[in-house]
Structure formats: C-alpha cells, structure tokens
C-alpha cells in the first residue's frame, strides 16, 4: 500500500490515512490456488466490462496472511481514476459487527448483561407495545416479555427497518425522520421506541435498527459518543486509522462511488455523502472504511480477539458471538438469511454444510453492507475475505460470486 507523510490527527469521528498493511505471501504457501484466484479476477473483470459495477476490491487471507489483494475497475464511474487498494467505501451494515463487538466489550467490563432489558438504559422502551394487525386495523398489545440486549444483537427485538416490509408498522417508520442523519442517536432511539414492535421480543428474526439502538446504549453506558467509544476501544487499538463516520475533504479523490442509475433496473442510486459529518452516528450502518482497515478487524476475529498484542474481546466471548442464537423456535423473516444459516450476536452463522446455494464451512460467520461490501471468517479453513464495491442493486449477486470463486481456490 502506498504511504505518505504522517497527517495531522483527524477530528473525532472522521478518518485519517495510513493503515498498517497485513503480511502478504504467495497463494501457494497458504494453500490457495494462484490459477483459481486469477480466474476470480478474470470473472470480476468481465462483470466490470459488462457494467455490473464500476469496480471492486478483493482481499483473501489464509493462516493470517494475505494471499490475494487486488483492486479492479474504476473507483467512480464519473472519473477515470482506477479502483485502488486504499479506496474508501461506505460499508453500511458492516458497521454492525464492529458495534456488536463494542457492546460485548462492555459486557466483559461488567457494565451490562445480555439479559438486561433495553429499557434499563433507554427508558422510552419501557412502554413499547406490539402492533398486531386484526381485521385490517393495527391493535396494540403488551409484549410477552421485555426486549433485551441479546434481542438487539440477534435481531429478535421486534424492531424492524422501513425497507423490510410494507405493513402498518413499517409505514410508521417510512413516514418518520428515522432515516435522517441530522438527529442525534438519543433522538433516533426515542423515535424508534415510539413505534410499535412488529412481533413479541424473542419470537422472530427481523433485520432491523436494533444495532442503532445498541450504539445508543454504548453512549449511555460509556458516557462517550459512539464514534469516540469505537475509536478508543476498537479502531485505534487495531490501527484502523481510515474507519469512521465520515472522511475529510483531503480524501475526496479516494471515494468509491456507484453508478448514478442502477445498471439492471435504471432506478436512481443515492448514497450518503462520505465527506459530511453526520449528527446521527449510525451503529447499524454509518461507517466508511477501506479494504485493509476492515481486514485488520477480520484478522482480529480470526485471532480470537487480538491483534498485535491488543486484546479487543475475549476468546470465549467471541465464540459466543459467532454461535447461532436463533435456534429452531425463532421464526426467520425475510431473505437475508440463506437456508442452513442462523444468526449470532452481530454476525450471520452457517449451521449446515449444505442447503445454502454457495460453498462454506459450518461455523463460518459473516455480514455485508447494502451498498455491496461483504466479509466472512471461516475458522475451519483459517480463511477470511473482504470484498468491497459500491453497487447496491448487485450486492446479492456479487457476494455469492465472490464466495464461489474464493472457495474454488482453496486447496
């Protein structure tokens, strides 16, 4: 990675350059096929030539070393600048695993329990009701039990996202300011608490704004902004110097951007401005980062919670996070979890070797971002990968493609 002179410290919540690289090795020494990895590269070059995405980065690591790290295509369709290893991306929901690790660090400190009610930290949640549709009308009933911190981590809270359905509760989300980047985390949490739940806590997996609420709990417990806490406890110790809720104007030429219109549907694509410091530091989807920065987070996970002598999370705590927390009794709504998969505390988890329409290993854990970013950790193969692009409409396709092609290279 190209480096330059050390820059002044960035304002809190913004990113500064110079993430230390991870060690690299020839693919064959790591049990990876050079020819199959080249075939992966060729496949993505074809997709770029077809106009599927402007450009991508792919990083594949095994046994703690990078065996393949490539930037392909253009960084932005509006510029001739090539995609670079240090291009900056909106990682959206890949923020969630980082915030989930932050919450678990507070659990390890003894500041909260997974079984604690959310209302213990955010009182507005104490009076929340469940919205039940009966005869076409929304009726409000008391929840069978309180929403817990564990529910937030595994998305069994009863909260939802405005784009995850079109029922009466979803419409309340859609008609509110819940998507605004100009409200505080406290205001956002109070607004979400004012909506009915879509189900009783613990009954269903509904992908949701739960991790945004975890971000607010971090603020309440730590007495710091979410950005400051993440910097102190995770980003700075891991030397993830290019990860934050915004980046500076000095990095304007490093921003990866999508096509203005989706190449498959023609719909307008509008993503947030990475140069704008938001008021709302979204724990569910607000971070921007680079491929190498996120790889440093991944290698910490691969190492059982440590990197370069800095322990971020305990090994047994991480094992708990990467285990399935849904089980057979939880109804799984939506299409985000493929067959054979469950969800842990911040990650999807593969439960079975088969059933899913792509390769992997039992115990593999991962998550992705709505704009096209994706990572996974495979403890059985001692493998992790980070894929970055800014193609929201193509995200399902590209993350399945990269899984197929990386696993084809495992020897």
């Amino acid at each position: 990675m190209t480096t330059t002179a050390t820059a002044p410290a960035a304002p809190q919540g913004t990113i500064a350059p110079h993430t230390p690289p991870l060690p690299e090795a020839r693919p064959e020494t790591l049990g990876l096929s050079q020819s199959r990895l080249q075939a992966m590269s060729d496949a993505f070059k074809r997709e770029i030539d077809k106009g599927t995405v402007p450009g991508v980065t792919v990083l594949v690591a095994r046994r703690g070393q990078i065996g393949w790290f490539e930037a392909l295509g253009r960084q932005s369709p509006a510029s001739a600048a090539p995609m670079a290893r240090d291009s900056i991306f909106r990682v959206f929901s890949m923020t969630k695993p980082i915030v989930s690790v932050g919450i678990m660090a507070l659990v390890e400190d003894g500041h909260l329990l997974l079984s604690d009610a959310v209302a213990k930290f955010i009182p507005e949640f104490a009076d929340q009701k469940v919205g039940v549709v009966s005869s076409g009308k929304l009726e409000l009933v008391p929840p069978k039990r309180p929403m817990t911190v564990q529910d937030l981590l595994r998305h069994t809270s009863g909260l939802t996202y405005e784009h995850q359905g079109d029922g009466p509760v979803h419409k309340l989300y859609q008609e509110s300011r819940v998507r605004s980047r100009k409200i505080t985390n406290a205001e956002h949490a109070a607004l979400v608490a004012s909506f009915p739940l879509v189900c009783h806590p613990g009954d269903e997996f509904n992908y949701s704004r739960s991790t945004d609420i975890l971000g607010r709990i971090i603020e309440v417990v730590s007495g710091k902004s979410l950005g400051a806490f993440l910097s102190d406890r995770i980003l700075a110790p891991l030397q993830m110097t290019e990860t934050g809720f915004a980046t500076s104007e000095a990095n304007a030429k490093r921003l990866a951007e999508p096509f203005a219109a989706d190449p498959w549907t023609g719909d307008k694509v509008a993503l947030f401005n990475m140069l704008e410091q938001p008021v709302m530091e979204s724990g569910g989807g607000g971070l921007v980062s680079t491929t190498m920065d996120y790889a440093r987070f991944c290698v910490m996970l691969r190492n059982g919670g440590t990197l370069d002598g800095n322990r971020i999370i305990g090994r047994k705590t991480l094992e708990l996070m990467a285990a399935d927390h849904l089980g057979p009794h939880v109804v799984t709504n939506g299409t985000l979890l493929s067959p054979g998969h469950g969800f842990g505390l911040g990650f999807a988890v593969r439960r079975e070797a088969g059933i899913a329409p792509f390769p992997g290993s039992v115990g593999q854990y991962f998550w992705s971002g709505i704009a096209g970013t994706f990572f996974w950790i495979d403890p059985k193969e001692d493998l992790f990968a980070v894929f970055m692009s800014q193609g929201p409409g193509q995200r399902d396709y590209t993350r399945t493609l990269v899984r197929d092609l990386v696993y084809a290279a495992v020897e």
Side-chain angles (χ1 to χ4, degrees), residues 66-135:
I66 296 172
W68 195 265
F69 187 6
E70 194 167 27
L72 303 169
R74 289 182 294 165
Q75 186 172 259
S76 168
S79 168
M83 184 66 79
R85 280 185 168 200
D86 65 349
S87 294
I88 299 169
F89 298 83
R90 305 163 186 83
V91 298
F92 280 102
S93 288
M94 279 166 51
T95 306
K96 289 180 171 73
I98 295 175
V99 170
S100 298
V101 167
I103 273 284
M104 296 306 292
L106 292 175
V107 171
E108 288 191 330
D109 288 347
H111 289 300
L112 71 160
L113 305 176
L114 290 179
S115 57
D116 279 341
V118 174
K120 178 179 178 180
F121 309 100
I122 308 174
E124 289 92 337
F125 281 91
D127 298 322
Q128 205 169 26
K129 298 294 190 292
V130 180
V132 178
V133 179
S134 178
S135 301

Side-chain angles (χ1 to χ4, degrees), residues 86-326:
D86 65 349
S87 294
I88 299 169
F89 298 83
R90 305 163 186 83
V91 298
F92 280 102
S93 288
M94 279 166 51
T95 306
K96 289 180 171 73
I98 295 175
V99 170
S100 298
V101 167
I103 273 284
M104 296 306 292
L106 292 175
V107 171
E108 288 191 330
D109 288 347
H111 289 300
L112 71 160
L113 305 176
L114 290 179
S115 57
D116 279 341
V118 174
K120 178 179 178 180
F121 309 100
I122 308 174
E124 289 92 337
F125 281 91
D127 298 322
Q128 205 169 26
K129 298 294 190 292
V130 180
V132 178
V133 179
S134 178
S135 301
K137 294 183 178 181
L138 184 66
E139 297 181 0
L140 302 182
V141 302
K144 291 185 287 188
R145 66 161 177 80
M147 178 199 307
T148 67
V149 173
Q150 185 179 19
D151 286 322
L152 293 176
L153 282 159
R154 66 187 178 186
H155 294 279
T156 57
S157 61
L159 304 180
T160 187
Y161 265 125
E162 53 278 6
H163 57 270
Q164 289 295 312
D166 201 31
V169 175
H170 297 96
K171 289 179 180 177
L172 292 174
Y173 278 71
Q174 292 163 10
E175 293 165 359
S176 75
R177 297 184 66 213
V178 76
R179 287 168 288 184
S180 173
R181 286 163 51 86
K182 297 181 180 180
I183 60 176
T184 66
N185 286 30
E187 290 169 332
H188 174 272
L191 183 57
V192 171
S194 74
F195 304 140
L197 302 175
V198 294
C199 69
H200 291 277
D203 282 4
E204 301 176 5
F205 171 89
N206 289 284
Y207 195 50
S208 69
R209 290 188 170 271
S210 289
T211 319
D212 287 318
I213 306 306
L214 288 174
R216 176 57 187 158
I217 291 177
I218 285 175
E219 293 186 335
V220 171
V221 172
S222 71
K224 301 177 180 179
S225 70
L226 179 58
F229 178 86
L230 294 181
S231 178
D232 291 347
R233 294 297 296 267
I234 300 174
L235 305 180
L238 294 180
Q239 297 187 69
M240 294 172 65
T241 59
E242 301 183 289
T243 301
F245 288 105
T247 187
S248 68
E249 190 70 38
N251 292 324
K253 293 183 179 179
R254 297 174 57 202
L255 308 183
E257 298 292 352
F259 291 120
D262 186 285
W264 291 353
T265 67
D267 294 338
K268 182 181 178 181
V269 178
L271 305 179
F272 68 79
N273 180 2
M274 290 188 273
L275 302 178
E276 180 182 79
Q277 180 69 49
V279 177
M280 166 74 181
E281 294 183 332
S282 170
L287 289 177
V288 303
S289 189
T290 63
T291 311
M292 183 60 75
D293 255 34
Y294 214 91
R296 291 186 68 82
F297 180 70
C298 289
V299 79
M300 177 275 291
L301 298 176
R302 174 262 178 189
N303 290 347
T306 66
L307 179 62
D308 298 336
N310 291 308
R311 178 161 290 283
I312 305 301
I313 200 80
R315 180 175 64 86
K316 296 302 293 184
T317 302
L318 183 56
E319 286 180 10
L320 178 68
M321 295 182 71
D324 176 48
H325 282 251
L326 298 185

